[in-house]
Amino acid sequence: MNKYIALIDCNNFYASCERVFDPSLKFKPVVVLSNNDGCVIARSAEAKLLGIKMGEPLFKCEDILKKESVKVFSSNYTLYADMSNRVMSIIKNHFEDVEVYSIDEAFVSIEAASINNLYKELVSLRNKILKWTGIPVSIGLSTTKTLAKLAGRKAKKSLGVYSLFNPRDLTNALREVAAGSVWGIGRRLEKKLFLKGISNAYQLSVFNHRKARRLGSVNLVRTILELNGVPCLDINSVVDTKRQITTSRAFGSPIYDLDLLKEAVSVYVSRAAEKLRLQGSSCSTITVALSTNRFSQKEPYKFFVETQSLISSTDSTSKLISSAKKILESIFKKGPGYKKAHIFLSGLEKSTSKQYSLEDNIFSIDKETNLMRVLDKLNIFYGRDTLKYASTGISRDWLMKRERKSKSYTTNWSEILTIQL
């Protein structure tokens, strides 16, 4: 039995999610915008052919979007996260050793006696994912994570599954890839490598290990070994718990009013608390920050921040909102228009190993825990904010701009897809 690594990558994921629920978009150019509809963060293959660049501000490409009738969507992270969970669930049901690397990528470690049978199995998995979710994926297969990444690139341009084992194919593939495009090589390291005469992945693969260690670090040596088929990066199938949870969003327009800021901060704390409970943690420290528009030419950039240690760690939304609002009142300054609020929850520990203080009322804490459990269950089943705290507001006019957002077809009963017969 030989061991292989496969990378399963969703094609143009955000754009593909939008196409699942609107078949008329098939073969048409589609782009998805970032927060506040600022810039392009996802493009369909057709949009890429039009020359629309990743990260390009919306105002710069509006003319070509209109001219070519490009369908434009605001980011719908709720939909994308749910579709990602569906794809990853299929992969996990098919293979045991799976590492969910990002919202649209997963590494899989596979033991197989026949490479041909494994190839057929991956083709079958690809077809199943497409049939069950509507999301097209590309699968790269090789002996290491880094080579699987390279094979994944080839898969996007071939039939959807590509194996990289043949020495000649491997050499040609490495020569085609720029050194800076190799997984784990950043811009600063790319510049250093270029000065050493290394411009592509093949030249990197034959680079002296001692020189590589001096130039970069042990991570660069590992990358070189991986390019030569020596596995150095294991599959991490256990999701690490976060040491800090952050919620930070820009507002649709500057906020000058303290009450509106309290509303926004309450929403952000609610989101952070949901993440906290999802990983079974409690926090002992909360930080609130406010910032103005960094790019404004009318007023200087300002950043206000304050941290508060809690008497006892908690995962209660109500307690965290109460603490956050007190911090907000102390850092708020009249005059500037605030463009962004930031919430940081730190000092995390497992809720099951929580340390109580002498001031804690165990009965009250248990009651609050049960309330949070019910709150989360209702919002998961019926859709986010089905049940929410009054301090989070109703109209939320300050919310970031998402004028082109599609419906949350899979997570909100009121927005479920309907068909007329």
Side-chain angles (χ1 to χ4, degrees):
M1 297 287 280
N2 296 315
K3 193 172 183 177
Y4 304 99
I5 301 292
L7 173 69
I8 303 172
D9 186 3
C10 301
N11 298 342
N12 312 312
F13 182 56
Y14 290 177
S16 294
C17 288
E18 300 294 351
R19 280 177 165 170
V20 169
F21 299 95
D22 187 354
S24 68
L25 298 176
K26 193 173 183 180
F27 303 125
K28 293 182 180 179
V30 177
V31 300
V32 178
L33 305 176
S34 63
N35 294 341
N36 283 313
D37 294 346
C39 58
V40 176
I41 58 169
R43 305 157 296 162
S44 66
E46 296 80 8
K48 293 175 184 178
L49 291 175
L50 294 175
I52 301 171
K53 299 177 182 177
M54 179 69 84
E56 189 170 7
L58 177 61
F59 71 89
K60 284 189 176 182
C61 58
E62 276 187 316
D63 289 342
I64 191 171
L65 294 177
K66 291 178 180 177
K67 180 181 177 182
E68 301 294 339
S69 300
V70 178
K71 187 66 176 178
V72 182
F73 290 94
S74 300
S75 51
N76 187 346
Y77 299 121
T78 303
L79 174 65
Y80 307 152
D82 186 69
M83 294 300 291
S84 172
N85 289 336
R86 292 167 187 243
V87 172
M88 300 306 165
S89 293
I90 296 172
I91 297 171
K92 288 178 180 178
N93 286 334
H94 201 89
F95 296 109
E96 290 184 5
D97 205 358
V98 178
E99 176 188 342
V100 178
Y101 182 67
S102 68
I103 193 171
D104 62 349
E105 292 177 294
F107 285 106
V108 178
S109 179
I110 313 163
E111 288 188 354
S114 168
I115 188 65
N116 291 328
N117 289 341
L118 177 55
Y119 184 89
K120 292 177 182 177
E121 183 179 359
L122 292 175
V123 170
S124 176
L125 174 62
R126 181 178 183 270
N127 293 335
K128 178 190 285 187
I129 293 172
L130 181 62
K131 183 177 180 179
W132 288 14
T133 69
I135 302 295
V137 300
S138 297
I139 303 178
L141 180 65
S142 194
T143 53
T144 70
K145 278 186 169 182
T146 305
L147 289 178
K149 273 273 191 179
L150 294 179
R153 288 189 178 194
K154 287 281 191 179
K156 288 182 182 292
K157 299 176 182 178
S158 61
L159 298 175
V161 179
Y162 190 90
S163 58
L164 200 53
F165 299 106
N166 183 284
R168 182 180 294 177
D169 292 341
L170 179 56
T171 299
N172 291 335
L174 292 175
R175 290 185 188 278
E176 292 172 2
V177 178
S181 297
V182 174
W183 188 44
I185 304 298
R187 290 183 180 179
R188 292 172 65 181
L189 185 53
E190 180 186 12
K191 291 178 181 178
K192 291 181 181 180
L193 291 171
F194 185 76
L195 293 175
K196 295 290 183 180
I198 299 172
S199 59
N200 62 49
Y202 177 75
Q203 292 171 330
L204 178 60
S205 70
V206 296
F207 190 44
N208 182 275
H209 291 184
R210 288 185 179 180
K211 292 181 180 180
R213 181 69 182 268
R214 288 196 297 267
L215 185 66
S217 66
V218 67
N219 290 329
L220 179 57
V221 177
R222 286 173 180 161
T223 298
I224 294 172
L225 289 170
E226 289 250 325
L227 288 174
N228 284 279
V230 180
C232 297
L233 304 171
D234 295 329
I235 295 293
N236 183 14
S237 56
V238 179
V239 179
D240 296 328
T241 56
K242 296 178 181 178
R243 297 181 180 180
Q244 177 176 282
I245 290 176
T246 304
T247 302
S248 179
R249 291 284 187 275
F251 307 131
S253 56
I255 297 180
Y256 298 86
D257 182 66
L258 177 59
D259 288 334
L260 284 179
L261 284 172
K262 285 183 178 180
E263 186 177 296
V265 164
S266 295
V267 171
Y268 294 174
V269 170
S270 297
R271 299 289 175 263
E274 288 172 5
K275 298 176 186 176
L276 189 67
R277 292 191 293 273
L278 188 62
Q279 70 172 32
S281 298
S282 297
C283 74
S284 59
T285 305
I286 181 170
T287 301
V288 179
L290 291 174
S291 58
T292 58
N293 190 344
R294 186 185 296 272
F295 306 102
S296 174
Q297 297 179 346
K298 296 180 180 179
E299 56 185 18
Y301 176 71
K302 293 182 180 180
F303 185 85
F304 304 100
V305 61
E306 187 174 306
T307 299
Q308 181 184 97
S309 295
L310 306 175
I311 297 173
S312 179
S313 65
T314 184
D315 62 3
S316 167
T317 299
S318 59
K319 290 181 180 178
L320 292 172
I321 286 177
S322 177
S323 297
K325 284 163 71 173
K326 289 177 182 176
I327 297 174
L328 180 62
E329 289 173 353
S330 66
I331 65 174
F332 175 77
K333 300 289 187 297
K334 287 186 178 180
Y338 297 99
K339 187 62 177 174
K340 201 171 187 179
H342 319 256
I343 300 296
F344 307 94
L345 303 182
S346 52
L348 306 190
E349 63 179 10
K350 289 184 178 180
S351 296
T352 52
S353 58
K354 169 184 167 67
Q355 295 294 313
Y356 295 98
S357 70
L358 293 174
E359 297 180 17
D360 285 332
N361 183 321
I362 304 301
F363 175 77
S364 177
I365 291 174
D366 288 344
K367 192 175 180 180
E368 189 77 16
T369 299
N370 290 331
L371 175 62
M372 293 301 102
R373 190 178 295 117
V374 172
L375 178 72
D376 291 337
K377 282 185 177 180
L378 287 173
N379 286 332
I380 289 171
F381 187 80
Y382 291 105
R384 174 172 280 176
D385 287 339
T386 297
L387 193 61
K388 61 185 179 182
Y389 284 85
S391 61
T392 61
I394 298 174
S395 61
R396 298 180 182 176
D397 296 329
W398 47 267
L399 277 172
M400 63 180 178
K401 295 176 183 175
R402 288 200 288 178
E403 297 171 351
R404 302 174 174 90
K405 189 178 92 63
S406 57
K407 294 181 179 181
S408 298
Y409 299 105
T410 62
T411 57
N412 192 327
W413 284 108
S414 64
E415 296 183 1
I416 194 169
L417 188 67
T418 58
I419 301 173
Q420 273 191 330
L421 298 177

